[in-house]
Amino acid sequence: MSKLKKLIDEFCPNGVKSMKLGEVCDFVNGFAFKSSLFREDGEKIIRITNINGRTVDIDDVKYFYKEDYKTDLEQFSIQYGDILIAMSGATTGKIGYYNYNDISYLNQRVGKFKPHNGILSSRYLYHVLLANSGTLYVLAGGGAQPNLSSTKLMETFEIPVPPIVVQEEIAKILDRFAEYAAELQAELQAELQARQEQYEYYRNKLLSFNEIGGGIQGVIWMKMSEIGTFIRGNGLQKKDFTESGIPCIHYGQIYTHYGTFATKTKSYVSSETAKKCKKAHCGDLVFATVSENIDDVCKCVAWLGNEEICISGDSLAFSHNQNPKYIAYYFQTYAFARYKRSRVTGTKVIRLHQSQLEQFEIPIPSLAEQARIVNILDKFERLVSDLVQGLPAEIAAVQEQYEYYRDKLLSFPEYKLSA
């Protein structure tokens, strides 16, 4: 018999009572720090955007000086082991465990739980709240603007409260399981990183020829404008997407959804909308000419589907007579990364103009050599893609296993008075 089973048999022979949160812990709402008084250093302010669903992220925090406020702010302080909750916005109901040794302070719309000593274990409460994050979101009203009332939370939400010794044993088991899951994820991420670096190395090696103008036999350097022609997309917006119809690619999807090539699109538009759109054809490359960062600007996807597709504004379709995947792979090299970094414009919206793309020179070997290079890089891409797809699947499996056992461990027989 497991230690937990013995404890439950000993301390919970008649089941476990469910109690309202307000009966077993106190709650502190955050303070309305003024954004006009945010500082570059000082005391940390934890906002709803710092609550990531398990821990508290302090990479992007705001700061304040205590002397800027006449209020005693110590009641809003956060220390190691505190459990926080986002009370509104997109993160409503998400939990954050404060895992740092220094002191921070609660901003408005963030709350802190204070379990009653000897009645409620902090780590046990943490796991119970994680298991009910979705329920808390619904309790807040869900929808576009959820807002969780602390009164409603504390007076209506109930949790099972076994004796503290049982709570602590459950928390230990779930902590060990969570640690195992984190270690496995780190190992998988390291493997993926190593494979990606290997892939990038060989891709750049295979696509590195003499300097522009050099004389490798069978390889000539040509400007994009000499290889083919660009067509600028027009008018297509996300609101135009439909469940079926004419396939389309929106520029934003090129760096969020697509890889080196595609034969199917994520989105569609109606026949009426398609009549107004510019098109890309099989073998064309579709470029995203704007982004919020330099790395994503001018990412491209080779369209290899049989149908013509609509393309949105801020994208370009490139028609040519070379191997489309060869060109797409070349636009993933360090050579193009260096080229675009010296020519992009903008700050918040980064752009590379069509004229700059047209002037970019790439090496053009024979079609047979292009096919050989593509064949090698395809094998690397499949390997990395399999890992990319396999990584979330493995992590999801571990997460599902954790959630299954968590739910089992947090399910108790309903409390009944002894005869």
Side-chain angles (χ1 to χ4, degrees), residues 229-349:
T229 57
F230 286 97
I231 299 172
R232 179 167 295 280
N234 65 309
L236 179 61
Q237 301 179 36
K238 291 181 180 179
K239 65 181 179 63
D240 297 318
F241 292 166
T242 58
E243 294 296 320
S244 60
I246 308 301
C248 68
I249 289 180
H250 186 270
Y251 79 91
Q253 297 170 341
I254 296 175
Y255 42 79
T256 59
H257 177 73
Y258 294 104
T260 304
F261 68 94
T263 56
K264 294 182 179 179
T265 63
K266 178 182 181 180
S267 304
Y268 302 86
V269 293
S270 67
S271 298
E272 285 301 311
T273 300
K275 291 177 183 178
K276 308 171 187 176
C277 294
K278 296 293 178 64
K279 310 291 194 304
H281 303 85
C282 182
D284 289 355
L285 274 69
V286 184
F287 288 84
T289 59
V290 299
S291 178
E292 294 179 355
N293 62 77
I294 295 176
D295 289 339
D296 286 336
V297 169
C298 278
K299 280 193 173 179
C300 66
V301 54
W303 173 245
L304 303 182
N306 294 324
E307 302 175 88
E308 67 176 14
I309 59 172
C310 299
I311 60 172
S312 70
D314 289 320
S315 66
L316 294 168
F318 179 67
S319 300
H320 56 93
N321 58 1
Q322 303 299 313
N323 187 310
K325 292 173 77 172
Y326 170 81
I327 299 178
Y329 278 128
Y330 196 81
F331 274 89
Q332 297 172 7
T333 62
Y334 298 145
F336 180 64
R338 289 193 299 269
Y339 179 87
K340 69 179 178 180
R341 282 185 181 278
S342 65
R343 291 165 174 81
V344 293
T345 61
T347 51
K348 291 186 178 180
V349 177

Side-chain angles (χ1 to χ4, degrees), residues 31-38 45 69 107:
F31 178 75
F33 289 97
K34 297 178 180 179
S35 59
S36 60
L37 295 177
F38 285 168
I45 301 172
Y69 297 90
N107 194 33

Side-chain angles (χ1 to χ4, degrees), residues 6 58 64 86 94 109 131 135 172 193 252 268 274 295 318 334 351 369 374 377 401:
K6 289 179 180 178
I58 61 171
F64 76 100
K94 287 191 174 182
R109 301 192 295 166
T135 302
K172 286 180 184 178
Q193 180 67 26
Y268 302 86
D295 289 339
F318 179 67
Y334 298 145
R351 184 182 300 275
E369 177 64 8
V374 164
L377 292 178
Q401 190 179 27

Side-chain angles (χ1 to χ4, degrees), residues 85-113:
I85 182 172
M87 301 293 284
S88 65
T91 58
T92 298
K94 287 191 174 182
I95 305 302
Y97 186 83
Y98 192 75
N99 196 28
Y100 307 96
N101 291 321
D102 58 344
I103 302 295
S104 292
Y105 291 82
L106 290 170
N107 194 33
Q108 60 183 340
R109 301 192 295 166
V110 181
K112 176 180 73 171
F113 296 96

Side-chain angles (χ1 to χ4, degrees), residues 347-359:
T347 51
K348 291 186 178 180
V349 177
I350 311 297
R351 184 182 300 275
L352 187 69
H353 293 285
Q354 179 180 331
S355 59
Q356 298 290 352
L357 266 179
E358 290 175 337
Q359 293 301 307

Side-chain angles (χ1 to χ4, degrees), residues 105-164:
Y105 291 82
L106 290 170
N107 194 33
Q108 60 183 340
R109 301 192 295 166
V110 181
K112 176 180 73 171
F113 296 96
K114 298 177 66 176
H116 295 168
N117 288 333
I119 297 176
L120 186 62
S121 157
S122 178
R123 286 299 291 180
Y124 173 79
L125 175 62
Y126 169 72
H127 287 292
V128 171
L129 292 173
L130 281 185
N132 288 277
S133 183
T135 302
L136 295 173
Y137 181 80
V138 173
L139 187 65
Q145 299 294 330
N147 188 52
L148 184 57
S149 158
S150 57
T151 300
K152 191 174 185 180
L153 173 65
M154 301 301 285
E155 293 183 358
T156 65
F157 187 70
E158 295 186 348
I159 64 171
V161 185
I164 195 76

